[in-house]
Amino acid sequence: MKKAILVLAIVFLFCVIGVGCLVNKSDDEKEDAQVLDKTYKEFTAFFAVPGTELDENNVIQNLIADSTGIKVHEKWLGSETAYDAISELLESGDYPDFVDAGEESVRMYEAGALVALDDYIEKYPNVKELFSQEQWDSLRQSDGHIYWIPQFSSTYGKERVCVHVDEAFWIQTRVLEWAGYPDIHTLDQYFDLIERYYAAKPTMPDGTAVIPYTILCDDWRYFCLENAPQFLDGYPNDGAAIVDPQTHKVIDYNTTDTAVKYFKKLNEEYKKGIVDPEFYKQTYDEYIAKLSSGRVLGMVDQWWDFAYEAEDAIRHAGLDDEGCQYVPLPITIREGITNQWHNSGSVFHGSSGLAITKSCKDVDKAMGFVSALLEQDIHNLRYWGIEGVDYVIDDNGMFKKTKGMRKMAYDTAYKKSHFCQYNYFPQWLGTSRDGINAMKPEGQEVEFYDGLSDKVRKCLTAYDAQTYVEMLGSNPSPGPWYPIYTYAQALSPSSDEGEAYHMMTECKQNYLPQVVMANNFDETWAEYIKAYNSCHPERFLNGLQNEVNRRVEAAADYEQ
């Protein structure tokens, strides 16, 4: 009898445990179902630049979706050109909800593919706050309406700049360390240093060949080859031409004496085997792969064009310990020229930006999402990450990263699965609304310096600098026309100026690599200039001059 009672008790106990397990399992399944049942308003976006698609369950993208109720599926430029990609969109008439068409923005506007944003801008204070009234008015197209929002041109509070995100002659720190950190100011000095280092150390520690100098020419990125003459003469990045700050006269940097000297120097270095023999045919991905391997000693490029991929890869592979990271040098054509590689103040890029297309079924919600991304807590999520996971806050309220957090931030897989910057949506530079932190980690002075590798920190110290900007020096914006390239990028291809601009671009893309590789430089240069002049550059330059004059006069009107 006792045995029977004991058996029954044990059976009852297992039944209770089993029911409890079933209840717990049921509760877990309910919670899982709730997670799976989360529904967000979904939008699509296409950006006419190469980019990396995020993993489907990206952590921060989901957190932003939890907060806003919206998720955006981003698509980027593939192997096609921006012109071809936008042409396909226009031909189909089936557009994503959001688009940044880059230099093809005017084509989308002229095709009637974009939504006028004026009323929505006024409705959302976060968006309205991005620019001054003068800047908003400068975005108006021929019909008087605004169709896109520049994403990278807004500074909140005090400017915070540690990284020179713009163009420069870059060089690896190991080259400077090997030479004893010499002062390098001129084009000749720069290449002389690279030649000497390459002669002494032609291979990497693993035996692979070093590439002394490479040039990116792929599609629109051929600026890495063609626009250095303006900087070498001590002018800032007006891009389309030099503008004399005193007379406001437009000067064609493509045909100056400095342009001849610069391309002749590249030709000489190519013949010596210093310039990468594959430069003229390499794709952007191939270029980034070369930089990521640590093999390339130097190049001209915009920091944003290579650093987020190549610099992170260099650090993740430990190549920063070998001095393979890049720093900028204040290169000019001769001694005595004050360089203007870096200008203070955010540059207003008004020729393109984030637009909403006619295919969008809920423009109001789309603009609401743009506004939400500018809220400080979401902005922190986009660029700093998750508190306690990607950064910590000290007793003074300052954001910082640990060494482990920084290492994770360089990992390509982690970036795809964890971080979501929505980087082609509007954003802030400068100082956070808390008045303490920078809007982005790269602007946080202490975080920037603490995060540097030993080799970069040693290099900066040798040049009495603490930031990349201090390596170059900084200059104020030269005038209200700056940068004039925004006018060139917004030209209609059907206009006389636009037609000339596009012909000039094609001519340079075709001839300049040939000039660098020419057996007879003088003959090839003369052939190039003849072809260039046949594009009627004077039509484009006259248009630029008129626009410079207009911007100067318009700025004076706003000052009154």
Side-chain angles (χ1 to χ4, degrees):
M1 186 67 168
K2 287 180 181 177
K3 288 182 180 178
I5 292 171
L6 181 60
V7 170
L8 288 171
I10 292 171
V11 170
F12 176 76
L13 179 61
F14 275 109
C15 287
V16 170
I17 293 171
V19 170
C21 290
L22 287 171
V23 170
N24 288 337
K25 185 177 179 183
S26 177
D27 288 343
D28 289 343
E29 286 176 345
K30 271 184 189 175
E31 289 177 10
D32 290 343
Q34 287 173 353
V35 171
L36 292 173
D37 284 345
K38 279 185 179 177
T39 56
Y40 307 117
K41 175 78 175 176
E42 296 191 350
F43 288 105
T44 57
F46 173 71
F47 307 117
V49 294
T52 302
E53 292 186 23
L54 303 179
D55 288 352
E56 186 175 350
N57 288 312
N58 180 279
V59 174
I60 290 178
Q61 186 177 48
N62 284 339
L63 288 176
I64 293 174
D66 289 342
S67 178
T68 64
I70 293 170
K71 182 180 284 189
V72 178
H73 298 279
E74 300 172 304
K75 296 290 183 183
W76 305 84
L77 196 66
S79 58
E80 73 275 38
T81 65
Y83 180 88
D84 289 340
I86 297 304
S87 295
E88 289 178 15
L89 283 180
L90 292 173
E91 187 176 342
S92 71
D94 184 18
Y95 311 120
D97 299 296
F98 294 103
V99 67
D100 182 344
E103 293 191 16
E104 309 305 320
S105 296
V106 171
R107 287 177 65 208
M108 292 204 74
Y109 157 67
E110 290 180 340
L114 306 180
V115 174
L117 301 177
D118 310 51
D119 293 341
Y120 300 99
I121 291 167
E122 295 297 327
K123 181 177 179 179
Y124 291 100
N126 284 353
V127 178
K128 177 72 172 177
E129 186 183 24
L130 286 167
F131 305 115
S132 68
Q133 191 57 52
E134 179 183 358
Q135 290 171 321
W136 281 119
D137 287 342
S138 72
L139 292 170
R140 298 188 185 280
Q141 301 305 302
S142 57
D143 65 357
H145 292 295
I146 298 170
Y147 289 89
W148 50 76
I149 305 169
Q151 307 99 311
F152 314 106
S153 302
S154 303
T155 299
Y156 188 89
K158 179 185 175 183
E159 183 179 32
R160 308 280 285 275
V161 181
C162 300
V163 176
H164 174 67
V165 300
D166 303 312
E167 194 163 342
F169 276 89
W170 300 88
I171 196 164
Q172 289 183 330
T173 60
R174 60 175 170 156
V175 180
L176 296 171
E177 182 180 26
W178 172 82
Y181 301 109
D183 287 331
I184 303 296
H185 295 141
T186 69
L187 187 67
D188 287 341
Q189 291 168 353
Y190 176 80
F191 277 109
D192 176 67
L193 174 58
I194 286 178
E195 285 181 39
R196 290 189 289 112
Y197 181 89
Y198 179 58
K201 296 179 176 291
T203 62
M204 297 287 287
D206 64 2
T208 56
V210 161
I211 300 172
Y213 185 85
T214 195
I215 308 169
L216 180 60
C217 301
D218 192 13
D219 195 29
W220 57 273
R221 286 184 168 91
Y222 88 114
F223 64 77
C224 298
L225 170 64
E226 69 92 26
N227 72 6
Q230 64 184 332
F231 297 107
L232 292 172
D233 271 333
Y235 292 95
N237 189 19
D238 261 308
I242 291 169
V243 179
D244 186 293
Q246 275 74 47
T247 65
H248 300 157
K249 181 181 178 182
V250 167
I251 302 166
D252 187 357
Y253 65 70
N254 296 289
T255 56
T256 61
D257 290 344
T258 295
V260 179
K261 292 175 183 176
Y262 165 66
F263 284 104
K264 190 168 188 176
K265 185 66 177 177
L266 291 182
N267 177 259
E268 292 169 356
E269 298 299 327
Y270 179 81
K271 289 174 179 175
K272 293 177 183 177
I274 298 301
V275 173
D276 180 2
E278 298 177 344
F279 83 90
Y280 68 99
K281 62 181 180 181
Q282 68 183 341
T283 65
Y284 175 69
D285 288 343
E286 290 168 340
Y287 166 79
I288 290 297
K290 289 177 183 177
L291 267 57
S292 298
S293 71
R295 296 167 59 210
V296 178
L297 302 181
M299 74 287 178
V300 169
D301 202 350
Q302 300 261 356
W303 182 87
W304 53 260
D305 195 37
F306 71 89
Y308 294 110
E309 298 291 336
E311 282 274 310
D312 283 1
I314 285 168
R315 298 196 71 165
H316 187 63
L319 290 168
D320 53 323
D321 293 333
E322 297 178 20
C324 292
Q325 285 183 278
Y326 298 95
V327 292
L329 292 176
I331 303 299
T332 53
I333 196 64
R334 63 180 185 279
E335 292 278 11
I337 297 176
T338 300
N339 86 86
Q340 290 195 67
W341 288 97
H342 187 86
N343 291 88
S344 60
S346 54
V347 174
F348 185 68
H349 296 269
S351 59
S352 62
L354 184 75
I356 297 176
T357 73
K358 291 290 181 67
S359 293
C360 182
K361 304 299 184 188
D362 196 336
V363 177
D364 197 52
K365 255 193 171 27
M367 279 295 286
F369 180 70
V370 174
S371 176
L373 289 181
L374 296 168
E375 292 287 341
Q376 191 64 62
D377 57 343
I378 296 181
H379 202 279
N380 288 347
L381 264 180
R382 292 168 67 189
Y383 293 101
W384 281 96
I386 301 171
E387 182 187 348
V389 176
D390 303 305
Y391 69 99
V392 294
I393 304 177
D394 70 13
D395 294 339
N396 297 316
M398 188 70 72
F399 292 3
K400 295 181 178 179
K401 293 175 179 283
T402 65
K403 188 174 182 179
M405 290 171 176
R406 294 188 196 107
K407 186 174 182 180
M408 290 302 295
Y410 305 138
D411 183 80
T412 301
Y414 186 73
K415 286 192 290 186
K416 286 183 63 179
S417 66
H418 184 78
F419 286 107
C420 174
Q421 295 184 338
Y422 280 127
N423 211 30
Y424 265 71
F425 282 79
Q427 59 202 248
W428 284 109
L429 301 172
T431 305
S432 169
R433 295 174 191 275
D434 64 13
I436 301 173
N437 292 289
M439 284 287 189
K440 297 183 177 183
E442 57 261 36
Q444 193 92 313
E445 296 82 357
V446 173
E447 169 58 30
F448 168 79
Y449 195 74
D450 287 349
L452 293 174
S453 66
D454 291 340
K455 293 287 188 180
V456 173
R457 192 180 291 116
K458 183 179 178 182
C459 179
L460 292 178
T461 300
Y463 290 100
D464 195 24
Q466 286 194 309
T467 68
Y468 291 162
V469 171
E470 291 177 6
M471 286 283 290
L472 297 171
S474 186
N475 300 274
S477 175
W481 68 84
Y482 179 77
I484 199 60
Y485 66 72
T486 57
Y487 167 77
Q489 292 176 349
L491 283 172
S492 170
S494 60
S495 67
D496 286 346
E497 298 94 331
E499 183 181 20
Y501 174 65
H502 285 284
M503 288 173 63
M504 291 159 60
T505 298
E506 289 181 2
C507 180
K508 288 189 285 184
Q509 287 176 328
N510 179 40
Y511 270 96
L512 290 181
Q514 296 183 49
V515 165
V516 173
M517 299 184 291
N519 290 324
N520 188 315
F521 173 82
D522 292 334
E523 286 184 4
T524 307
W525 180 262
E527 182 183 342
Y528 157 59
I529 291 298
K530 182 178 179 180
Y532 179 77
N533 287 333
S534 71
C535 300
H536 302 290
E538 68 280 358
R539 296 176 185 173
F540 170 66
L541 296 169
N542 289 338
L544 281 185
Q545 187 66 68
N546 291 335
E547 179 64 11
V548 168
N549 297 341
R550 187 198 67 78
R551 291 187 183 185
V552 171
E553 292 169 4
D557 289 341
Y558 277 95
E559 290 171 1
Q560 294 173 359

